[in-house]
C-alpha cells in the first residue's frame, strides 16, 4: 500500500521536504515545527511539510518509494527529512536526512560508494535542514559532505554551525 502524498505541484525547488512519521507527542512536534520555521540570516526558511496521520509509522523505504513515485518530487528532490520517533524523543530534535539517490542515479559504483560513505541517512538538527536542502539542490555541496559532518559530531547530529564549530 502506498501512502498518499499531498499535491506536490506547489513544492518549490529549494523547499525542504519534511515528512512527519511520529504522532505520539503533539507538543514535541510543535517544537520541531517551530524550529523548522524559525528565520535565520537568509530569512524565512521554506519547507514543504507533510503532516498527515496516514504517514504514522512510515519507514524510510516507504517515504523514498512515495517520493520516487511522485513525478515532481522525483525530478527535484535529492534529500528528504523524516520527523520520526527519534526526532520527537530527543532534546536535539534530530530529523533523519535521507538521500533519494540510488545506485542507478550514479554513474558507477565508485560514485555511489562515495555518496554513501557514511550511509544513506544521518541526523540533523532542525536548523540544519535549510542549509542541507538548499546546498544539495543548488549542487554547492554533496550529500557526503553533510553526512561526514554528522559522523564527526559527538552526538552524530549535523549542526547548522558546523563550519564555525571548534
Amino acid at each position: 500500500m502506498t501512502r498518499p502524498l499531498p499535491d506536490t505541484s506547489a513544492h518549490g525547488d529549494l523547499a525542504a521536504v519534511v515528512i512527519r512519521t511520529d504522532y505520539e507527542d503533539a507538543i514535541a512536534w510543535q517544537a520541531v515545527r517551530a524550529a523548522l520555521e524559525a528565520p535565520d540570516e537568509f530569512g524565512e526558511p521554506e519547507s514543504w511539510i507533510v503532516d498527515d496521520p496516514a504517514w504514522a509509522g512510515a519507514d524510510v523505504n516507504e517515504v523514498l518509494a512515495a517520493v520516487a513515485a511522485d513525478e515532481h518530487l522525483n525530478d527535484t528532490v535529492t534529500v528528504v527529512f523524516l520527523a520520526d520517533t527519534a526526532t520527537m524523543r530527543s532534546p536535539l530534535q534530530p530529523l533523519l536526512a535521507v538521500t533519494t539517490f540510488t545506485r542507478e542515479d550514479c554513474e558507477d559504483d565508485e560514485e555511489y560508494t562515495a555518496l554513501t560513505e557514511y550511509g544513506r541517512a544521518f541526523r540533523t538538527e532542525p536548523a540544519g535542514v535549510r542549509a542541507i536542502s538548499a546546498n544539495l539542490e543548488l549542487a554547492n555541496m554533496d550529500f557526503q559532505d553533510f553526512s561526514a559532518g554528522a559522523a564527526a559530531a559527538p552526538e552524530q547530529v549535523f549542526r547548522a554551525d558546523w563550519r564555525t564549530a571548534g
Side-chain angles (χ1 to χ4, degrees), residues 5 11 15-21 29 32 36 46-51 63 79-83 95-96 129:
L5 281 172
H11 170 261
V17 175
V18 179
I19 299 178
R20 179 182 179 192
T21 64
W29 171 241
V32 170
L36 286 168
E46 184 180 351
S47 296
W48 189 77
I49 297 174
V50 176
D51 187 2
V63 170
V79 65
V80 64
F81 301 89
L82 278 65
L95 290 98
L96 186 64
V129 167

mmCIF file with all atom_site columns, all heavy atoms in Angstrom, residues 5 11 15-21 29 32 36 46-51 63 79-83 95-96 129:
data_model
loop_
_atom_site.group_PDB
_atom_site.id
_atom_site.type_symbol
_atom_site.label_atom_id
_atom_site.label_alt_id
_atom_site.label_comp_id
_atom_site.label_asym_id
_atom_site.label_entity_id
_atom_site.label_seq_id
_atom_site.pdbx_PDB_ins_code
_atom_site.Cartn_x
_atom_site.Cartn_y
_atom_site.Cartn_z
_atom_site.occupancy
_atom_site.B_iso_or_equiv
_atom_site.pdbx_formal_charge
_atom_site.auth_seq_id
_atom_site.auth_comp_id
_atom_site.auth_asym_id
_atom_site.auth_atom_id
_atom_site.pdbx_PDB_model_num
ATOM 1   N N   . LEU A 1 5   ? 0.716  11.190 -0.780 1.00 0.00 ? 5   LEU A N   1
ATOM 2   C CA  . LEU A 1 5   ? 1.394  12.474 -0.636 1.00 0.00 ? 5   LEU A CA  1
ATOM 3   C C   . LEU A 1 5   ? 0.409  13.551 -1.070 1.00 0.00 ? 5   LEU A C   1
ATOM 4   O O   . LEU A 1 5   ? -0.376 13.326 -1.995 1.00 0.00 ? 5   LEU A O   1
ATOM 5   C CB  . LEU A 1 5   ? 2.625  12.551 -1.542 1.00 0.00 ? 5   LEU A CB  1
ATOM 6   C CG  . LEU A 1 5   ? 3.888  11.857 -1.075 1.00 0.00 ? 5   LEU A CG  1
ATOM 7   C CD1 . LEU A 1 5   ? 4.943  11.878 -2.171 1.00 0.00 ? 5   LEU A CD1 1
ATOM 8   C CD2 . LEU A 1 5   ? 4.426  12.509 0.184  1.00 0.00 ? 5   LEU A CD2 1
ATOM 9   N N   . HIS A 1 11  ? 5.284  22.504 -4.559 1.00 0.00 ? 11  HIS A N   1
ATOM 10  C CA  . HIS A 1 11  ? 6.581  22.367 -3.900 1.00 0.00 ? 11  HIS A CA  1
ATOM 11  C C   . HIS A 1 11  ? 7.620  23.182 -4.649 1.00 0.00 ? 11  HIS A C   1
ATOM 12  O O   . HIS A 1 11  ? 7.873  22.973 -5.827 1.00 0.00 ? 11  HIS A O   1
ATOM 13  C CB  . HIS A 1 11  ? 7.005  20.887 -3.860 1.00 0.00 ? 11  HIS A CB  1
ATOM 14  C CG  . HIS A 1 11  ? 8.417  20.686 -3.419 1.00 0.00 ? 11  HIS A CG  1
ATOM 15  N ND1 . HIS A 1 11  ? 9.437  20.481 -4.326 1.00 0.00 ? 11  HIS A ND1 1
ATOM 16  C CD2 . HIS A 1 11  ? 8.993  20.687 -2.197 1.00 0.00 ? 11  HIS A CD2 1
ATOM 17  C CE1 . HIS A 1 11  ? 10.572 20.343 -3.668 1.00 0.00 ? 11  HIS A CE1 1
ATOM 18  N NE2 . HIS A 1 11  ? 10.326 20.463 -2.372 1.00 0.00 ? 11  HIS A NE2 1
ATOM 19  N N   . ALA A 1 15  ? 12.606 24.134 -1.564 1.00 0.00 ? 15  ALA A N   1
ATOM 20  C CA  . ALA A 1 15  ? 11.913 23.831 -0.311 1.00 0.00 ? 15  ALA A CA  1
ATOM 21  C C   . ALA A 1 15  ? 12.315 22.452 0.198  1.00 0.00 ? 15  ALA A C   1
ATOM 22  O O   . ALA A 1 15  ? 12.323 21.477 -0.546 1.00 0.00 ? 15  ALA A O   1
ATOM 23  C CB  . ALA A 1 15  ? 10.405 23.894 -0.505 1.00 0.00 ? 15  ALA A CB  1
ATOM 24  N N   . ALA A 1 16  ? 12.656 22.393 1.476  1.00 0.00 ? 16  ALA A N   1
ATOM 25  C CA  . ALA A 1 16  ? 12.985 21.111 2.106  1.00 0.00 ? 16  ALA A CA  1
ATOM 26  C C   . ALA A 1 16  ? 11.703 20.294 2.257  1.00 0.00 ? 16  ALA A C   1
ATOM 27  O O   . ALA A 1 16  ? 10.659 20.826 2.609  1.00 0.00 ? 16  ALA A O   1
ATOM 28  C CB  . ALA A 1 16  ? 13.611 21.358 3.468  1.00 0.00 ? 16  ALA A CB  1
ATOM 29  N N   . VAL A 1 17  ? 11.789 19.009 1.986  1.00 0.00 ? 17  VAL A N   1
ATOM 30  C CA  . VAL A 1 17  ? 10.657 18.102 2.155  1.00 0.00 ? 17  VAL A CA  1
ATOM 31  C C   . VAL A 1 17  ? 10.794 17.417 3.511  1.00 0.00 ? 17  VAL A C   1
ATOM 32  O O   . VAL A 1 17  ? 11.768 16.711 3.761  1.00 0.00 ? 17  VAL A O   1
ATOM 33  C CB  . VAL A 1 17  ? 10.601 17.055 1.020  1.00 0.00 ? 17  VAL A CB  1
ATOM 34  C CG1 . VAL A 1 17  ? 9.495  16.041 1.279  1.00 0.00 ? 17  VAL A CG1 1
ATOM 35  C CG2 . VAL A 1 17  ? 10.399 17.741 -0.324 1.00 0.00 ? 17  VAL A CG2 1
ATOM 36  N N   . VAL A 1 18  ? 9.815  17.664 4.387  1.00 0.00 ? 18  VAL A N   1
ATOM 37  C CA  . VAL A 1 18  ? 9.806  17.100 5.740  1.00 0.00 ? 18  VAL A CA  1
ATOM 38  C C   . VAL A 1 18  ? 8.532  16.278 5.890  1.00 0.00 ? 18  VAL A C   1
ATOM 39  O O   . VAL A 1 18  ? 7.435  16.798 5.677  1.00 0.00 ? 18  VAL A O   1
ATOM 40  C CB  . VAL A 1 18  ? 9.853  18.200 6.815  1.00 0.00 ? 18  VAL A CB  1
ATOM 41  C CG1 . VAL A 1 18  ? 9.810  17.587 8.213  1.00 0.00 ? 18  VAL A CG1 1
ATOM 42  C CG2 . VAL A 1 18  ? 11.080 19.086 6.643  1.00 0.00 ? 18  VAL A CG2 1
ATOM 43  N N   . ILE A 1 19  ? 8.696  15.013 6.258  1.00 0.00 ? 19  ILE A N   1
ATOM 44  C CA  . ILE A 1 19  ? 7.539  14.141 6.447  1.00 0.00 ? 19  ILE A CA  1
ATOM 45  C C   . ILE A 1 19  ? 7.503  13.682 7.897  1.00 0.00 ? 19  ILE A C   1
ATOM 46  O O   . ILE A 1 19  ? 8.462  13.074 8.386  1.00 0.00 ? 19  ILE A O   1
ATOM 47  C CB  . ILE A 1 19  ? 7.572  12.942 5.478  1.00 0.00 ? 19  ILE A CB  1
ATOM 48  C CG1 . ILE A 1 19  ? 7.535  13.461 4.040  1.00 0.00 ? 19  ILE A CG1 1
ATOM 49  C CG2 . ILE A 1 19  ? 6.417  11.984 5.761  1.00 0.00 ? 19  ILE A CG2 1
ATOM 50  C CD1 . ILE A 1 19  ? 7.608  12.411 2.961  1.00 0.00 ? 19  ILE A CD1 1
ATOM 51  N N   . ARG A 1 20  ? 6.409  13.980 8.561  1.00 0.00 ? 20  ARG A N   1
ATOM 52  C CA  . ARG A 1 20  ? 6.227  13.581 9.953  1.00 0.00 ? 20  ARG A CA  1
ATOM 53  C C   . ARG A 1 20  ? 5.735  12.138 9.983  1.00 0.00 ? 20  ARG A C   1
ATOM 54  O O   . ARG A 1 20  ? 4.734  11.801 9.353  1.00 0.00 ? 20  ARG A O   1
ATOM 55  C CB  . ARG A 1 20  ? 5.204  14.494 10.620 1.00 0.00 ? 20  ARG A CB  1
ATOM 56  C CG  . ARG A 1 20  ? 4.931  14.146 12.064 1.00 0.00 ? 20  ARG A CG  1
ATOM 57  C CD  . ARG A 1 20  ? 3.873  15.065 12.642 1.00 0.00 ? 20  ARG A CD  1
ATOM 58  N NE  . ARG A 1 20  ? 3.596  14.714 14.033 1.00 0.00 ? 20  ARG A NE  1
ATOM 59  C CZ  . ARG A 1 20  ? 2.572  15.188 14.707 1.00 0.00 ? 20  ARG A CZ  1
ATOM 60  N NH1 . ARG A 1 20  ? 1.741  16.058 14.146 1.00 0.00 ? 20  ARG A NH1 1
ATOM 61  N NH2 . ARG A 1 20  ? 2.379  14.811 15.956 1.00 0.00 ? 20  ARG A NH2 1
ATOM 62  N N   . THR A 1 21  ? 6.455  11.286 10.723 1.00 0.00 ? 21  THR A N   1
ATOM 63  C CA  . THR A 1 21  ? 6.062  9.873  10.814 1.00 0.00 ? 21  THR A CA  1
ATOM 64  C C   . THR A 1 21  ? 5.734  9.451  12.243 1.00 0.00 ? 21  THR A C   1
ATOM 65  O O   . THR A 1 21  ? 5.352  8.309  12.466 1.00 0.00 ? 21  THR A O   1
ATOM 66  C CB  . THR A 1 21  ? 7.164  8.952  10.249 1.00 0.00 ? 21  THR A CB  1
ATOM 67  O OG1 . THR A 1 21  ? 8.334  9.063  11.047 1.00 0.00 ? 21  THR A OG1 1
ATOM 68  C CG2 . THR A 1 21  ? 7.462  9.281  8.788  1.00 0.00 ? 21  THR A CG2 1
ATOM 69  N N   . TRP A 1 29  ? 6.140  17.830 18.468 1.00 0.00 ? 29  TRP A N   1
ATOM 70  C CA  . TRP A 1 29  ? 6.012  18.186 17.056 1.00 0.00 ? 29  TRP A CA  1
ATOM 71  C C   . TRP A 1 29  ? 5.935  19.701 16.888 1.00 0.00 ? 29  TRP A C   1
ATOM 72  O O   . TRP A 1 29  ? 6.556  20.256 15.983 1.00 0.00 ? 29  TRP A O   1
ATOM 73  C CB  . TRP A 1 29  ? 4.811  17.501 16.418 1.00 0.00 ? 29  TRP A CB  1
ATOM 74  C CG  . TRP A 1 29  ? 4.519  18.014 15.047 1.00 0.00 ? 29  TRP A CG  1
ATOM 75  C CD1 . TRP A 1 29  ? 3.382  18.631 14.628 1.00 0.00 ? 29  TRP A CD1 1
ATOM 76  C CD2 . TRP A 1 29  ? 5.381  17.977 13.900 1.00 0.00 ? 29  TRP A CD2 1
ATOM 77  N NE1 . TRP A 1 29  ? 3.483  18.986 13.303 1.00 0.00 ? 29  TRP A NE1 1
ATOM 78  C CE2 . TRP A 1 29  ? 4.700  18.595 12.834 1.00 0.00 ? 29  TRP A CE2 1
ATOM 79  C CE3 . TRP A 1 29  ? 6.664  17.490 13.677 1.00 0.00 ? 29  TRP A CE3 1
ATOM 80  C CZ2 . TRP A 1 29  ? 5.260  18.731 11.567 1.00 0.00 ? 29  TRP A CZ2 1
ATOM 81  C CZ3 . TRP A 1 29  ? 7.220  17.635 12.402 1.00 0.00 ? 29  TRP A CZ3 1
ATOM 82  C CH2 . TRP A 1 29  ? 6.516  18.241 11.366 1.00 0.00 ? 29  TRP A CH2 1
ATOM 83  N N   . VAL A 1 32  ? 9.392  21.051 17.139 1.00 0.00 ? 32  VAL A N   1
ATOM 84  C CA  . VAL A 1 32  ? 10.163 20.748 15.928 1.00 0.00 ? 32  VAL A CA  1
ATOM 85  C C   . VAL A 1 32  ? 9.735  21.678 14.803 1.00 0.00 ? 32  VAL A C   1
ATOM 86  O O   . VAL A 1 32  ? 10.570 22.267 14.107 1.00 0.00 ? 32  VAL A O   1
ATOM 87  C CB  . VAL A 1 32  ? 9.997  19.267 15.513 1.00 0.00 ? 32  VAL A CB  1
ATOM 88  C CG1 . VAL A 1 32  ? 10.594 19.010 14.141 1.00 0.00 ? 32  VAL A CG1 1
ATOM 89  C CG2 . VAL A 1 32  ? 10.611 18.346 16.558 1.00 0.00 ? 32  VAL A CG2 1
ATOM 90  N N   . LEU A 1 36  ? 11.884 24.407 12.689 1.00 0.00 ? 36  LEU A N   1
ATOM 91  C CA  . LEU A 1 36  ? 11.998 24.349 11.227 1.00 0.00 ? 36  LEU A CA  1
ATOM 92  C C   . LEU A 1 36  ? 11.617 25.682 10.578 1.00 0.00 ? 36  LEU A C   1
ATOM 93  O O   . LEU A 1 36  ? 12.151 26.045 9.537  1.00 0.00 ? 36  LEU A O   1
ATOM 94  C CB  . LEU A 1 36  ? 11.102 23.246 10.652 1.00 0.00 ? 36  LEU A CB  1
ATOM 95  C CG  . LEU A 1 36  ? 11.557 21.821 10.854 1.00 0.00 ? 36  LEU A CG  1
ATOM 96  C CD1 . LEU A 1 36  ? 10.429 20.842 10.493 1.00 0.00 ? 36  LEU A CD1 1
ATOM 97  C CD2 . LEU A 1 36  ? 12.800 21.529 10.027 1.00 0.00 ? 36  LEU A CD2 1
ATOM 98  N N   . GLU A 1 46  ? 12.019 27.801 3.814  1.00 0.00 ? 46  GLU A N   1
ATOM 99  C CA  . GLU A 1 46  ? 10.897 27.233 3.088  1.00 0.00 ? 46  GLU A CA  1
ATOM 100 C C   . GLU A 1 46  ? 10.939 25.713 3.232  1.00 0.00 ? 46  GLU A C   1
ATOM 101 O O   . GLU A 1 46  ? 11.902 25.077 2.845  1.00 0.00 ? 46  GLU A O   1
ATOM 102 C CB  . GLU A 1 46  ? 10.969 27.614 1.607  1.00 0.00 ? 46  GLU A CB  1
ATOM 103 C CG  . GLU A 1 46  ? 9.779  27.140 0.821  1.00 0.00 ? 46  GLU A CG  1
ATOM 104 C CD  . GLU A 1 46  ? 9.858  27.516 -0.647 1.00 0.00 ? 46  GLU A CD  1
ATOM 105 O OE1 . GLU A 1 46  ? 10.749 28.283 -1.044 1.00 0.00 ? 46  GLU A OE1 1
ATOM 106 O OE2 . GLU A 1 46  ? 9.020  27.015 -1.404 1.00 0.00 ? 46  GLU A OE2 1
ATOM 107 N N   . SER A 1 47  ? 9.874  25.190 3.839  1.00 0.00 ? 47  SER A N   1
ATOM 108 C CA  . SER A 1 47  ? 9.745  23.743 3.973  1.00 0.00 ? 47  SER A CA  1
ATOM 109 C C   . SER A 1 47  ? 8.395  23.311 3.433  1.00 0.00 ? 47  SER A C   1
ATOM 110 O O   . SER A 1 47  ? 7.407  24.030 3.552  1.00 0.00 ? 47  SER A O   1
ATOM 111 C CB  . SER A 1 47  ? 9.847  23.323 5.450  1.00 0.00 ? 47  SER A CB  1
ATOM 112 O OG  . SER A 1 47  ? 11.112 23.612 5.969  1.00 0.00 ? 47  SER A OG  1
ATOM 113 N N   . TRP A 1 48  ? 8.375  22.163 2.846  1.00 0.00 ? 48  TRP A N   1
ATOM 114 C CA  . TRP A 1 48  ? 7.134  21.540 2.387  1.00 0.00 ? 48  TRP A CA  1
ATOM 115 C C   . TRP A 1 48  ? 6.906  20.385 3.347  1.00 0.00 ? 48  TRP A C   1
ATOM 116 O O   . TRP A 1 48  ? 7.615  19.381 3.291  1.00 0.00 ? 48  TRP A O   1
ATOM 117 C CB  . TRP A 1 48  ? 7.302  21.082 0.938  1.00 0.00 ? 48  TRP A CB  1
ATOM 118 C CG  . TRP A 1 48  ? 6.047  20.633 0.295  1.00 0.00 ? 48  TRP A CG  1
ATOM 119 C CD1 . TRP A 1 48  ? 5.044  21.407 -0.197 1.00 0.00 ? 48  TRP A CD1 1
ATOM 120 C CD2 . TRP A 1 48  ? 5.668  19.282 0.057  1.00 0.00 ? 48  TRP A CD2 1
ATOM 121 N NE1 . TRP A 1 48  ? 4.065  20.619 -0.718 1.00 0.00 ? 48  TRP A NE1 1
ATOM 122 C CE2 . TRP A 1 48  ? 4.419  19.302 -0.574 1.00 0.00 ? 48  TRP A CE2 1
ATOM 123 C CE3 . TRP A 1 48  ? 6.257  18.055 0.329  1.00 0.00 ? 48  TRP A CE3 1
ATOM 124 C CZ2 . TRP A 1 48  ? 3.754  18.159 -0.948 1.00 0.00 ? 48  TRP A CZ2 1
ATOM 125 C CZ3 . TRP A 1 48  ? 5.596  16.911 -0.041 1.00 0.00 ? 48  TRP A CZ3 1
ATOM 126 C CH2 . TRP A 1 48  ? 4.363  16.970 -0.674 1.00 0.00 ? 48  TRP A CH2 1
ATOM 127 N N   . ILE A 1 49  ? 5.975  20.582 4.271  1.00 0.00 ? 49  ILE A N   1
ATOM 128 C CA  . ILE A 1 49  ? 5.791  19.647 5.367  1.00 0.00 ? 49  ILE A CA  1
ATOM 129 C C   . ILE A 1 49  ? 4.565  18.771 5.137  1.00 0.00 ? 49  ILE A C   1
ATOM 130 O O   . ILE A 1 49  ? 3.475  19.273 4.867  1.00 0.00 ? 49  ILE A O   1
ATOM 131 C CB  . ILE A 1 49  ? 5.668  20.405 6.702  1.00 0.00 ? 49  ILE A CB  1
ATOM 132 C CG1 . ILE A 1 49  ? 6.970  21.157 6.970  1.00 0.00 ? 49  ILE A CG1 1
ATOM 133 C CG2 . ILE A 1 49  ? 5.327  19.452 7.837  1.00 0.00 ? 49  ILE A CG2 1
ATOM 134 C CD1 . ILE A 1 49  ? 6.944  22.065 8.185  1.00 0.00 ? 49  ILE A CD1 1
ATOM 135 N N   . VAL A 1 50  ? 4.764  17.465 5.244  1.00 0.00 ? 50  VAL A N   1
ATOM 136 C CA  . VAL A 1 50  ? 3.664  16.506 5.189  1.00 0.00 ? 50  VAL A CA  1
ATOM 137 C C   . VAL A 1 50  ? 3.328  16.157 6.636  1.00 0.00 ? 50  VAL A C   1
ATOM 138 O O   . VAL A 1 50  ? 4.109  15.506 7.320  1.00 0.00 ? 50  VAL A O   1
ATOM 139 C CB  . VAL A 1 50  ? 4.039  15.239 4.393  1.00 0.00 ? 50  VAL A CB  1
ATOM 140 C CG1 . VAL A 1 50  ? 2.903  14.227 4.435  1.00 0.00 ? 50  VAL A CG1 1
ATOM 141 C CG2 . VAL A 1 50  ? 4.403  15.610 2.959  1.00 0.00 ? 50  VAL A CG2 1
ATOM 142 N N   . ASP A 1 51  ? 2.194  16.641 7.086  1.00 0.00 ? 51  ASP A N   1
ATOM 143 C CA  . ASP A 1 51  ? 1.722  16.418 8.450  1.00 0.00 ? 51  ASP A CA  1
ATOM 144 C C   . ASP A 1 51  ? 0.363  15.731 8.349  1.00 0.00 ? 51  ASP A C   1
ATOM 145 O O   . ASP A 1 51  ? -0.681 16.353 8.506  1.00 0.00 ? 51  ASP A O   1
ATOM 146 C CB  . ASP A 1 51  ? 1.625  17.751 9.198  1.00 0.00 ? 51  ASP A CB  1
ATOM 147 C CG  . ASP A 1 51  ? 1.307  17.583 10.668 1.00 0.00 ? 51  ASP A CG  1
ATOM 148 O OD1 . ASP A 1 51  ? 1.186  16.429 11.137 1.00 0.00 ? 51  ASP A OD1 1
ATOM 149 O OD2 . ASP A 1 51  ? 1.157  18.613 11.351 1.00 0.00 ? 51  ASP A OD2 1
ATOM 150 N N   . VAL A 1 63  ? 8.818  6.104  2.549  1.00 0.00 ? 63  VAL A N   1
ATOM 151 C CA  . VAL A 1 63  ? 8.951  7.511  2.180  1.00 0.00 ? 63  VAL A CA  1
ATOM 152 C C   . VAL A 1 63  ? 9.686  7.642  0.851  1.00 0.00 ? 63  VAL A C   1
ATOM 153 O O   . VAL A 1 63  ? 9.248  8.361  -0.055 1.00 0.00 ? 63  VAL A O   1
ATOM 154 C CB  . VAL A 1 63  ? 9.658  8.306  3.301  1.00 0.00 ? 63  VAL A CB  1
ATOM 155 C CG1 . VAL A 1 63  ? 10.009 9.712  2.833  1.00 0.00 ? 63  VAL A CG1 1
ATOM 156 C CG2 . VAL A 1 63  ? 8.794  8.345  4.560  1.00 0.00 ? 63  VAL A CG2 1
ATOM 157 N N   . VAL A 1 79  ? 17.098 15.015 -1.230 1.00 0.00 ? 79  VAL A N   1
ATOM 158 C CA  . VAL A 1 79  ? 17.109 14.620 0.180  1.00 0.00 ? 79  VAL A CA  1
ATOM 159 C C   . VAL A 1 79  ? 15.712 14.855 0.744  1.00 0.00 ? 79  VAL A C   1
ATOM 160 O O   . VAL A 1 79  ? 15.023 15.791 0.348  1.00 0.00 ? 79  VAL A O   1
ATOM 161 C CB  . VAL A 1 79  ? 18.173 15.409 0.981  1.00 0.00 ? 79  VAL A CB  1
ATOM 162 C CG1 . VAL A 1 79  ? 17.857 16.884 1.044  1.00 0.00 ? 79  VAL A CG1 1
ATOM 163 C CG2 . VAL A 1 79  ? 18.348 14.845 2.377  1.00 0.00 ? 79  VAL A CG2 1
ATOM 164 N N   . VAL A 1 80  ? 15.305 13.971 1.632  1.00 0.00 ? 80  VAL A N   1
ATOM 165 C CA  . VAL A 1 80  ? 14.032 14.106 2.328  1.00 0.00 ? 80  VAL A CA  1
ATOM 166 C C   . VAL A 1 80  ? 14.312 13.954 3.816  1.00 0.00 ? 80  VAL A C   1
ATOM 167 O O   . VAL A 1 80  ? 15.234 13.241 4.213  1.00 0.00 ? 80  VAL A O   1
ATOM 168 C CB  . VAL A 1 80  ? 13.003 13.078 1.806  1.00 0.00 ? 80  VAL A CB  1
ATOM 169 C CG1 . VAL A 1 80  ? 13.420 11.671 2.095  1.00 0.00 ? 80  VAL A CG1 1
ATOM 170 C CG2 . VAL A 1 80  ? 11.619 13.348 2.353  1.00 0.00 ? 80  VAL A CG2 1
ATOM 171 N N   . PHE A 1 81  ? 13.537 14.664 4.631  1.00 0.00 ? 81  PHE A N   1
ATOM 172 C CA  . PHE A 1 81  ? 13.741 14.678 6.076  1.00 0.00 ? 81  PHE A CA  1
ATOM 173 C C   . PHE A 1 81  ? 12.544 14.039 6.766  1.00 0.00 ? 81  PHE A C   1
ATOM 174 O O   . PHE A 1 81  ? 11.402 14.388 6.465  1.00 0.00 ? 81  PHE A O   1
ATOM 175 C CB  . PHE A 1 81  ? 13.923 16.117 6.576  1.00 0.00 ? 81  PHE A CB  1
ATOM 176 C CG  . PHE A 1 81  ? 15.082 16.811 5.935  1.00 0.00 ? 81  PHE A CG  1
ATOM 177 C CD1 . PHE A 1 81  ? 14.932 17.526 4.757  1.00 0.00 ? 81  PHE A CD1 1
ATOM 178 C CD2 . PHE A 1 81  ? 16.354 16.735 6.498  1.00 0.00 ? 81  PHE A CD2 1
ATOM 179 C CE1 . PHE A 1 81  ? 16.007 18.161 4.154  1.00 0.00 ? 81  PHE A CE1 1
ATOM 180 C CE2 . PHE A 1 81  ? 17.440 17.361 5.900  1.00 0.00 ? 81  PHE A CE2 1
ATOM 181 C CZ  . PHE A 1 81  ? 17.261 18.074 4.728  1.00 0.00 ? 81  PHE A CZ  1
ATOM 182 N N   . LEU A 1 82  ? 12.819 13.131 7.694  1.00 0.00 ? 82  LEU A N   1
ATOM 183 C CA  . LEU A 1 82  ? 11.760 12.470 8.449  1.00 0.00 ? 82  LEU A CA  1
ATOM 184 C C   . LEU A 1 82  ? 11.767 12.969 9.888  1.00 0.00 ? 82  LEU A C   1
ATOM 185 O O   . LEU A 1 82  ? 12.812 12.965 10.542 1.00 0.00 ? 82  LEU A O   1
ATOM 186 C CB  . LEU A 1 82  ? 11.946 10.954 8.458  1.00 0.00 ? 82  LEU A CB  1
ATOM 187 C CG  . LEU A 1 82  ? 11.460 10.190 7.236  1.00 0.00 ? 82  LEU A CG  1
ATOM 188 C CD1 . LEU A 1 82  ? 12.237 10.532 6.002  1.00 0.00 ? 82  LEU A CD1 1
ATOM 189 C CD2 . LEU A 1 82  ? 11.514 8.705  7.522  1.00 0.00 ? 82  LEU A CD2 1
ATOM 190 N N   . ALA A 1 83  ? 10.587 13.383 10.343 1.00 0.00 ? 83  ALA A N   1
ATOM 191 C CA  . ALA A 1 83  ? 10.388 13.717 11.753 1.00 0.00 ? 83  ALA A CA  1
ATOM 192 C C   . ALA A 1 83  ? 9.816  12.445 12.375 1.00 0.00 ? 83  ALA A C   1
ATOM 193 O O   . ALA A 1 83  ? 8.607  12.226 12.376 1.00 0.00 ? 83  ALA A O   1
ATOM 194 C CB  . ALA A 1 83  ? 9.446  14.903 11.899 1.00 0.00 ? 83  ALA A CB  1
ATOM 195 N N   . LEU A 1 95  ? 16.186 15.454 12.997 1.00 0.00 ? 95  LEU A N   1
ATOM 196 C CA  . LEU A 1 95  ? 15.458 14.836 11.896 1.00 0.00 ? 95  LEU A CA  1
ATOM 197 C C   . LEU A 1 95  ? 16.384 13.881 11.153 1.00 0.00 ? 95  LEU A C   1
ATOM 198 O O   . LEU A 1 95  ? 17.602 14.067 11.153 1.00 0.00 ? 95  LEU A O   1
ATOM 199 C CB  . LEU A 1 95  ? 14.941 15.905 10.934 1.00 0.00 ? 95  LEU A CB  1
ATOM 200 C CG  . LEU A 1 95  ? 13.813 16.756 11.515 1.00 0.00 ? 95  LEU A CG  1
ATOM 201 C CD1 . LEU A 1 95  ? 14.344 18.054 12.042 1.00 0.00 ? 95  LEU A CD1 1
ATOM 202 C CD2 . LEU A 1 95  ? 12.741 16.976 10.492 1.00 0.00 ? 95  LEU A CD2 1
ATOM 203 N N   . LEU A 1 96  ? 15.804 12.896 10.509 1.00 0.00 ? 96  LEU A N   1
ATOM 204 C CA  . LEU A 1 96  ? 16.580 11.958 9.714  1.00 0.00 ? 96  LEU A CA  1
ATOM 205 C C   . LEU A 1 96  ? 16.637 12.473 8.278  1.00 0.00 ? 96  LEU A C   1
ATOM 206 O O   . LEU A 1 96  ? 15.599 12.622 7.617  1.00 0.00 ? 96  LEU A O   1
ATOM 207 C CB  . LEU A 1 96  ? 15.939 10.568 9.757  1.00 0.00 ? 96  LEU A CB  1
ATOM 208 C CG  . LEU A 1 96  ? 16.731 9.450  9.080  1.00 0.00 ? 96  LEU A CG  1
ATOM 209 C CD1 . LEU A 1 96  ? 18.058 9.224  9.806  1.00 0.00 ? 96  LEU A CD1 1
ATOM 210 C CD2 . LEU A 1 96  ? 15.909 8.166  9.057  1.00 0.00 ? 96  LEU A CD2 1
ATOM 211 N N   . VAL A 1 129 ? 18.355 21.825 8.366  1.00 0.00 ? 129 VAL A N   1
ATOM 212 C CA  . VAL A 1 129 ? 17.537 21.361 7.237  1.00 0.00 ? 129 VAL A CA  1
ATOM 213 C C   . VAL A 1 129 ? 17.651 22.299 6.042  1.00 0.00 ? 129 VAL A C   1
ATOM 214 O O   . VAL A 1 129 ? 17.855 21.867 4.908  1.00 0.00 ? 129 VAL A O   1
ATOM 215 C CB  . VAL A 1 129 ? 16.070 21.171 7.671  1.00 0.00 ? 129 VAL A CB  1
ATOM 216 C CG1 . VAL A 1 129 ? 15.144 20.991 6.479  1.00 0.00 ? 129 VAL A CG1 1
ATOM 217 C CG2 . VAL A 1 129 ? 15.963 19.976 8.617  1.00 0.00 ? 129 VAL A CG2 1
#
